[in-house]
Amino acid sequence: MAVAEATPPGRDFIRDIVQADLDAKRHTTVVTRFPPEPNGYLHIGHAKSICLNFGIAEEFGGRCHLRFDDTNPTKEEQEYIDAIERDVRWLGFDWGKHLFHASDYFERLYQWAEDLIRAGKAYVDDQSQDAMRASRGTLTEPGRNSPYRERAVAENLDLFRRMRAGEFPNGARVLRAKIDMASGNINLRDPVLYRILHANHPRTGTQWSIYPSYDYAHGQSDAIEGITHSICTLEFEDHRPLYDWFLDNIAVPSRPHQYEFARLNLTYTILSKRVLTELVRGGHVGGWDDPRMPTLAGLRRRGVPAEALRDFIRRIGVAKANSVVDMAMFDHAVREVLNKSARRRMAVLRPLKIVIENYPEGQSEELEAINHPDDPSAGTRKIRFGRELYVERDDFMENPPKKFYRLSPGKEVRLRYAYFVTCREVIKDGAGEAVELRCTYDPATRGGNAPDGRKVQATLHWVSAEHSVASEVRLYNPLFMSPSPDAANFATDINPNALEVLADARVEPALAQGGNSPEAVQFERQGYFCLDPDSKPGKLVFNRTVGLRDTWAKVSGAKGA
Ligand code: ATP
Ligand code: MG
């Protein structure tokens, strides 16, 4: 699997262009924009575009606009507008007072379209959509001129005004630019500027019966806002001649330039709003913020820090060749941040009860545990040890293979921060499954070391049966089974085990005291977790943000967490 070509952090071909433009005084200030269409939630691919546009503005002392590309009222909703604003802020960026909408410019765009008509550069076409498609030609064949192409200016103006006034039904007519039906670039074969659409727009209501196309609205919006560098993904490369044609043929107030970069693709992930919308609508996930989703809302709920997302985006760099980034690289970036910040706690995900037979009944004691091994300022906390404890079911084997160093009959292990314990007897249920271990402890090993210097080969995490808190733990795995899922057939590729619910986990009481804090913690030996908003008093729910095993560090030689 190809990985994005390595670019030194903070330098790429777009930043080089910006630097050169500033050096040559072609611009005094760099102005960029992030232009989402409010028809879904932002995903990690959008984060790449956000970090690029806002990052360049920050680094070069310019500004970045947030502009909603709200030209299609049938798909756009206020919920998406709110979510997009929340997610951009969460990612760490601020557009200040530079919040705009393509709909702010509807009147101006309309007047410019009349200008094009008057200049003989646009016409109203009455052909059906099918007829238009059929006459557009192909990559190897030129298109054919529309029978309406030579309409008189006065007739075009009259029809266009009546389109605006709402006289015609949806789809009856369009306004097209008069460019070149034989162009080798299909985007220049008389593209549609306006279509009739009787719809309620979130901002302009029913004021408009016609809406501009993306291609027509985008560059002119850039020009109105004084955007200097209009940065978009590679699929718009073939649209650039059209972007320039509009700017050349309309009396715009400034002259932006479009630059294209490779979109982010990730293994096991589909970054398409259409597919993400279908995952939500089809009930394949719990919503846009389901932690299995690659949306910023989903990643945030899963516990991914914004800083880790920004680090990841910086590391993958910006290139002009499409590639696929290994999900393991993303997980690595998340671990690096969480390893530094997350407090350590003990939680038993699949509990197995152990009873310390030589520990006095009804008694318990406090032991001291450190909150972060590399950060003494994080301090310590008290944990309760007693006669009945839980350990991880996987840490016990009745008939262990040779290299299994954890609990098994007769084997001595260390319980972290506590004592050495030895397994003496296995109690089983009718099905032969271990339900309890009878153990003994060595009181001389308090704190986890033997005065006689004897060693054990394993240190296990544990919680007190009496003092621990019952919790649900949700483990997440990739949403798709295939490393390169097919957007056209995504439903058959959904991983049925993407969410694994452990309903009987036990966590140390310190975890219940933080309230509904989203603060990240490391469950020792398990991974990084955060509290899910589904938590209620008496029933905590934790999401696994990422496990501890770092496959990326291994393959790349990068320093692991
Ligand atoms: P749609 O198919 O609905 O157009 P989109 O993902 O392009 O989906 P937009 O809201 O138009 O959605 O995207 C806003 C900006 O984010 C655009 O400039 C787009 O190029 C960029 N973008 C979208 N997907 C990616 C991606 N995977 N990697 C980098 N940038 C992306
Ligand atoms: Mg788009």
Side-chain angles (χ1 to χ4, degrees):
M1 185 88 23
V3 162
E5 59 200 67
T7 311
R11 260 284 162 266
D12 53 64
F13 77 99
I14 294 186
R15 286 174 165 91
D16 289 346
I17 290 169
V18 170
Q19 184 68 62
D21 285 347
L22 291 173
D23 290 347
K25 310 232 175 327
R26 276 188 286 272
H27 304 290
T28 47
T29 314
V30 56
V31 187
T32 56
R33 86 286 170 268
F34 174 64
E37 185 181 350
N39 62 349
Y41 278 53
L42 297 179
H43 54 61
I44 186 169
H46 295 118
K48 180 176 182 182
S49 177
I50 295 167
C51 289
L52 183 59
N53 281 295
F54 280 93
I56 285 178
E58 251 171 33
E59 290 155 39
F60 293 92
R63 63 177 197 269
C64 180
H65 298 181
L66 176 62
R67 184 199 312 144
F68 287 104
D69 171 24
D70 55 351
T71 51
N72 185 358
T74 57
K75 287 194 178 160
E76 294 157 8
E77 290 173 26
Q78 188 61 37
E79 179 197 349
Y80 300 142
I81 293 180
D82 297 341
I84 289 169
E85 293 190 16
R86 187 162 58 235
D87 290 348
V88 174
R89 279 212 185 84
W90 172 73
L91 200 52
F93 298 104
D94 186 2
W95 51 91
K97 53 187 196 313
H98 306 289
L99 174 65
F100 301 106
H101 304 81
S103 58
D104 299 338
Y105 315 131
F106 279 175
E107 184 60 39
R108 200 121 54 123
L109 293 169
Y110 173 85
Q111 294 301 337
W112 278 334
E114 283 205 356
D115 290 347
L116 286 174
I117 294 173
R118 276 187 286 268
K121 291 172 181 170
Y123 62 97
V124 173
D125 195 338
D126 300 356
Q127 289 185 100
S128 69
Q129 271 196 27
D130 287 344
M132 274 179 47
R133 202 174 298 121
S135 61
R136 188 165 289 137
T138 64
L139 285 174
T140 49
E141 245 178 81
R144 290 186 311 278
N145 285 353
S146 161
Y148 302 96
R149 201 171 194 264
E150 300 309 328
R151 250 180 179 147
V153 167
E155 190 187 353
N156 279 321
L157 266 183
D158 173 60
L159 285 171
F160 188 47
R161 287 173 184 163
R162 288 163 61 196
M163 281 167 63
R164 173 182 181 161
E167 278 189 35
F168 310 118
N170 289 354
R173 296 188 160 84
V174 294
L175 183 73
R176 297 177 78 174
K178 196 191 240 182
I179 307 181
D180 179 6
M181 288 304 291
S183 172
N185 184 337
I186 293 184
N187 294 300
L188 295 179
R189 293 183 189 170
D190 292 7
V192 171
L193 307 194
Y194 275 90
R195 60 205 188 288
I196 299 171
L197 197 59
H198 296 271
N200 195 16
H201 186 283
R203 288 176 61 83
T204 58
T206 52
Q207 204 183 320
W208 292 89
S209 309
I210 53 173
Y211 288 92
S213 64
Y214 169 88
D215 280 322
Y216 178 63
H218 200 82
Q220 280 60 261
S221 301
D222 285 345
I224 291 169
E225 292 176 19
I227 301 298
T228 55
H229 299 78
S230 181
I231 304 166
C232 61
T233 36
L234 276 182
E235 64 270 25
F236 292 103
E237 198 168 19
D238 290 345
H239 295 239
R240 187 171 2 110
L242 179 57
Y243 182 95
D244 289 335
W245 187 90
F246 287 128
L247 297 175
D248 288 340
N249 288 282
I250 293 174
V252 288
S254 81
R255 183 62 203 231
H257 284 269
Q258 177 181 302
Y259 301 94
E260 307 89 16
F261 70 99
R263 55 186 286 116
L264 171 66
N265 299 299
L266 264 182
T267 55
Y268 299 99
T269 309
I270 300 181
L271 297 179
S272 143
K273 274 194 286 193
R274 180 188 63 80
V275 170
L276 298 183
T277 305
E278 284 182 45
L279 284 168
V280 173
R281 299 230 167 111
H284 299 288
V285 294
W288 284 99
D289 70 344
D290 187 303
R292 288 169 289 185
M293 292 279 273
T295 51
L296 300 189
L299 295 172
R300 175 169 63 235
R301 181 165 173 188
R302 212 178 83 195
V304 171
E307 182 191 350
L309 254 167
R310 292 194 302 266
D311 283 354
F312 168 70
I313 300 291
R314 193 175 316 123
R315 280 175 211 184
I316 58 173
V318 178
K320 231 184 140 90
N322 274 316
S323 63
V324 181
V325 176
D326 195 326
M327 186 54 116
M329 189 178 172
F330 175 66
D331 291 345
H332 174 73
V334 176
R335 272 186 208 101
E336 281 214 325
V337 170
L338 292 179
N339 181 43
K340 275 183 267 156
S341 60
R343 302 268 163 123
R344 271 50 171 177
R345 296 287 182 259
M346 292 204 284
V348 174
L349 304 191
R350 299 169 182 88
L352 174 62
K353 187 176 228 175
I354 70 172
V355 177
I356 315 285
E357 291 184 317
N358 59 339
Y359 195 89
E361 237 162 301
Q363 195 173 306
S364 74
E365 68 190 285
E366 271 190 336
L367 298 161
E368 187 149 45
I370 56 170
N371 287 328
H372 198 294
D374 309 321
D375 177 12
S377 75
T380 60
R381 68 190 184 284
K382 303 284 190 213
I383 51 175
R384 277 262 158 209
F385 185 85
R387 186 179 152 88
E388 299 200 353
L389 311 169
Y390 289 114
V391 297
E392 209 68 60
R393 187 162 282 280
D394 290 352
D395 281 336
F396 169 76
M397 277 184 96
E398 187 173 13
N399 299 299
K402 236 193 171 146
K403 295 225 158 144
F404 187 85
Y405 299 121
R406 293 166 280 160
L407 269 180
S408 56
K411 189 71 145 255
E412 185 172 51
V413 299
R414 175 190 294 110
L415 294 184
R416 182 116 158 110
Y417 300 120
Y419 295 97
F420 286 11
V421 301
T422 305
C423 174
R424 301 293 174 190
E425 193 193 338
V426 187
I427 315 258
K428 296 186 204 170
D429 63 12
E433 179 100 26
V435 291
E436 185 181 308
L437 307 179
R438 308 296 289 190
C439 299
T440 56
Y441 83 123
D442 176 356
T445 58
R446 192 171 199 270
N449 288 300
D452 63 4
R454 82 181 185 277
K455 301 277 180 230
V456 287
Q457 284 169 303
T459 302
L460 309 186
H461 62 276
W462 55 275
V463 293
S464 152
E466 185 191 342
H467 303 95
S468 59
V469 179
S471 301
E472 176 178 316
V473 169
R474 298 175 183 170
L475 306 182
Y476 299 100
N477 297 301
L479 183 52
F480 295 103
M481 294 180 288
S482 152
S484 45
D486 175 8
N489 289 307
F490 73 89
T492 55
D493 196 24
I494 293 176
N495 178 5
N497 302 313
L499 167 63
E500 218 176 307
V501 177
L502 306 176
D504 307 311
R506 311 284 309 190
V507 306
E508 64 170 276
L511 283 161
Q513 284 152 16
N516 240 9
S517 129
E519 196 191 329
V521 289
Q522 185 194 93
F523 289 172
E524 295 206 23
R525 300 176 63 226
Q526 299 287 3
Y528 297 97
F529 292 78
C530 74
L531 216 48
D532 188 86
D534 282 349
S535 298
K536 292 182 202 69
K539 166 96 186 292
L540 299 181
V541 179
F542 289 94
N543 293 321
R544 182 173 69 190
T545 311
V546 65
L548 288 180
R549 236 167 66 101
D550 197 332
T551 49
W552 179 252
K554 239 183 254 160
V555 299
S556 68
K559 267 213 258 142

